């Protein structure tokens, strides 16, 4: 991803390995400060994932792959390492996949295996951008929710890959960025990525997405996903369901961008996807100050499930598929 | 409204008069501190409205009525007083109505006339509660957006009046409180009112409303409104449109609570209602700190329009009406 620096631009990934250390952009400090976080054992990998230094299913997968590689290089107990890393977050399928992949294939050449895994993540995202970018016409206005950008996927992004691709072809596009409460990944991260790429955009409160869709100002919605069930139901950041229903109501195409590995054939439908309930303070406090009565309870589901009937298509590295073609694809 | 104090409970209004002084709850300090603000001349009335010590169209109307009464009692220049008070905020219809009403009718018995005006506002809200409360069954879960509570309407509220009524009858109810970005009137004010009434509730991010509706956890949605067009289209806080569409999609009744004066027969439909675009800093900053890149643009519509087809009924002081009965009602 392109990042503006004092000297001009730099091309960065969200996470990478240097010798036995794992380095990552500290996403908690964005958009105000670009600082790198170093992780040196699997407990720190878990903490970095849990505390959202790094977030987004593919970037979490990369952290897990590097984490196992690091443990192998250090001669740590691998069974314990795998358990610790897998326990970092419950919903992201990539986390489990990356750990299992490294346990099976990484024993001999851990770092090379991890790099190959991460590179394949990145090249899939680039391919998602190539396929999805073709659908974006000059002048289009696209709405996105949360951050399914390079920060979430090591590079390029899933939802942001088609947008980056269209921009790189010189198309004049505009992006509505849902701020995405409670953690504000839209305003904090997506806007930061678009600002760094000089892509025209505006941040809106999540409440305003429907207003702009209803007024005909949105041509397409593209989001990422954390897991897709075999029937095409999609788990993604809380609020995705609302945007999908409103898009359908207003005949706006609603796309989900993802690598094929995010399809989970073992999960039958959305009702089988566990929804992580996160701590109330994500909602009740901003900058450590309460924005509500201290004693009022909070309910804070991190994800929701969008039924496949609301989804126009899945943008993958293998092409674009409607929900009824998933069976064939898998 | 019931307010918890160190000694127990107090029954308060958002604003009232004591001798020649006007007293009000300082809403800028809620939910963290209950402090009363005293106003002793029309310049201070203007400042209190302008600085949002008091807010909500009916409460602003009450402040204006008391302000004129105070000026008459003090022998102030009434023409100047009316001008000053009217200039406090440009759009609140109740403000102008209350000033004109007092200038016409309040000269002889200013305090009694102002009290009668304010009492009629409150009794309409109470009637809204009586009618709407009957629809709320024991065990129901209700979702509301923004603050259409006692703070905004002197007492009882519009959307919160049926909830207060059901609670006063001993019904076991639960309220989902949308935090209502960007200004957070849900988490700051509605949650505070419910906490003080000991009504079971939880604050959720606006994004989570759809999730709970889709999971069958919401039995009814009740919101307030700023203006209803002759065809039943409703202008209300940004995000209302999304909640209404999602409610309809999930067969959840969606009610709008309002005094009949909020129907505007001169506005044909929702497209004729101008939507106020407010300053970007309401979105980009929380507690004076940026929550997004400083240079990213913001779009900040304060209201949206919900088409009448999404609305189950209007809860008014005269009873409950479906959108197709508005013509008859007016």
């Amino acid at each position: 991803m392109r990042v503006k620096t004092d000297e001009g631009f730099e091309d960065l990934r969200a996470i990478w390995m240097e010798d036995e250390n794992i380095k990552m952009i500290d996403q908690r400090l964005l958009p105000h400060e670009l600082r790198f976080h170093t992780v040196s054992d699997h407990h720190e990998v878990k903490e970095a994932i849990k505390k959202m230094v790094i977030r987004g299913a593919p970037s979490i997968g990369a952290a897990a792959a590097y984490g196992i590689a690091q443990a192998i290089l250090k001669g740590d107990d691998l069974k314990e390492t795998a358990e610790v890393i897998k326990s970092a977050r419950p919903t992201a399928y990539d986390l489990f996949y990356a750990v299992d992949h490294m346990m099976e294939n990484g024993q001999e050449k851990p770092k090379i295996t991890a790099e190959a895994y991460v590179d394949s993540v990145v090249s899939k995202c680039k391919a998602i951008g190539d396929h999805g970018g073709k659908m974006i016409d000059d002048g289009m206005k696209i709405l996105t929710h949360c951050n399914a950008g390079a920060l979430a996927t090591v590079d390029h992004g899933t939802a942001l890959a088609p947008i980056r691709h269209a921009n790189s072809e010189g198309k004049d596009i505009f992006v509505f960025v849902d701020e995405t409460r409670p953690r504000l990944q839209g305003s904090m991260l997506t806007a930061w990525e678009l600002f760094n790429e000089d892509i025209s955009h505006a941040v809106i409160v999540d409440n305003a997405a429907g207003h702009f869709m209803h007024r005909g100002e949105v041509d397409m919605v593209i989001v990422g996903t954390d897991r897709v069930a075999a029937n095409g139901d999609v788990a993604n950041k809380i609020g995705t369901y609302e945007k999908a229903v409103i898009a359908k109501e207003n005949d706006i195409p609603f796309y989900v961008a993802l690598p094929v590995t995010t399809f989970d054939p073992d999960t039958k439908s959305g009702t089988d996807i566990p929804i992580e309930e996160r701590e109330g303070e994500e909602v009740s406090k901003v900058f450590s100050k309460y924005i509500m009565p201290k004693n009022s309870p909070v309910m804070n589901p991190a994800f929701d499930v969008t039924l496949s009937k609301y989804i126009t298509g899945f943008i993958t590295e293998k092409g674009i598929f409607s929900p009824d073609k998933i069976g064939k694809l898998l």
Side-chain angles (χ1 to χ4, degrees), chain A:
Chain A
M1 75 189 99
R2 191 177 91 159
V3 176
K4 292 180 184 178
T5 63
D6 293 341
E7 292 81 40
F9 300 108
E10 224 178 309
D11 191 35
L12 287 177
R13 284 183 170 189
I15 185 168
W16 65 96
M17 215 165 167
E18 276 178 27
D19 303 323
E20 283 190 21
N21 286 323
I22 304 165
K23 298 233 169 191
M24 58 191 83
I25 295 175
D26 190 336
Q27 300 192 27
R28 297 169 305 179
L29 304 177
L30 296 178
H32 305 306
E33 198 183 333
L34 177 65
R35 206 193 292 171
F36 304 115
H37 180 82
T38 303
V39 151
S40 47
D41 71 24
H42 54 289
H43 294 289
E44 290 180 12
V45 170
K46 178 184 170 175
E47 279 307 291
I49 294 170
K50 201 170 173 172
K51 300 219 164 127
M52 299 178 85
V53 178
I54 189 150
R55 23 69 54 206
S59 283
I60 288 172
Y66 285 140
I68 301 290
Q70 185 179 59
I72 296 170
L73 291 172
K74 294 174 62 167
D76 289 345
D77 176 341
L78 281 192
K79 198 163 162 265
E80 189 233 337
T81 297
E83 268 170 28
V84 166
I85 292 178
K86 277 186 174 182
S87 71
R89 288 187 73 183
T91 308
Y93 180 67
D94 299 49
L95 172 61
F96 311 118
Y97 178 85
V99 169
D100 293 342
H101 173 78
M102 286 297 296
M103 295 290 280
E104 256 177 60
N105 308 297
Q107 309 283 353
E108 277 187 31
K109 295 177 177 172
K111 204 170 163 186
I112 287 173
T113 311
E115 290 296 3
Y117 171 82
V118 175
D119 283 346
S120 91
V121 167
V122 170
S123 64
K124 281 174 197 168
C125 288
K126 197 177 168 307
I128 289 168
D130 295 344
H131 289 297
K134 284 178 200 148
M135 289 193 316
I136 299 176
D137 297 328
D138 195 54
M140 266 196 178
K141 293 182 175 182
I142 300 140
L143 185 138
T144 190
H145 190 70
C146 198
N147 176 259
L151 291 165
T153 67
V154 186
D155 207 352
H156 298 291
T158 49
L160 292 193
I163 289 166
R164 279 196 161 86
H165 187 273
N167 180 60
S168 73
E169 287 188 322
K171 289 172 185 166
D172 176 26
I173 55 173
F174 180 86
V175 183
F176 287 96
V177 180
D178 283 357
E179 63 173 6
T180 319
R181 282 281 290 156
R183 294 188 65 99
L184 299 166
Q185 294 96 333
S187 54
M188 297 286 227
L189 305 178
T190 298
W192 181 82
E193 289 194 35
L194 296 173
F195 170 75
N196 276 287
E197 301 271 5
D198 285 324
I199 296 172
S200 196
H201 67 283
V203 174
I204 59 173
V205 294
D206 304 301
N207 280 325
H211 171 73
F212 290 111
M213 286 198 250
H214 180 58
R215 281 163 72 117
E217 295 187 37
V218 177
D219 299 302
M220 183 185 286
V221 181
I222 311 180
V223 300
T225 173
D226 292 82
R227 197 194 298 194
V228 179
N231 73 339
D233 291 351
V234 165
N236 192 43
K237 184 59 53 200
I238 190 77
T240 303
Y241 165 73
E242 293 201 5
K243 309 315 156 196
V245 173
I246 307 286
K248 178 137 190 151
E249 185 77 2
N250 292 285
D251 294 321
I252 297 165
F254 186 93
Y255 287 97
V256 178
L258 74 168
V260 171
T261 45
T262 308
F263 288 106
D264 177 8
D266 296 333
T267 301
K268 260 189 170 172
S269 78
T271 49
D272 302 314
I273 301 176
I275 298 296
E276 180 185 2
E277 172 83 21
R278 292 180 59 88
E279 54 171 359
E281 292 201 343
E282 281 188 355
V283 176
S284 62
K285 288 180 173 182
V286 179
F287 299 127
S288 311
K289 277 191 188 167
Y290 280 98
I291 54 166
M292 47 177 280
K294 285 177 194 174
N295 297 315
S296 281
V298 168
M299 292 167 81
N300 183 24
F303 302 94
D304 60 24
V305 170
T306 299
L307 304 187
S308 64
K309 68 177 173 181
Y310 300 115
I311 295 161
T312 310
F314 293 99
I315 308 172
T316 78
E317 71 275 23
K318 296 190 191 300
I320 299 169
F321 302 88
S322 60
D324 58 325
K325 296 289 191 305
I326 295 177
K328 210 176 148 195
L329 176 69
L330 296 180

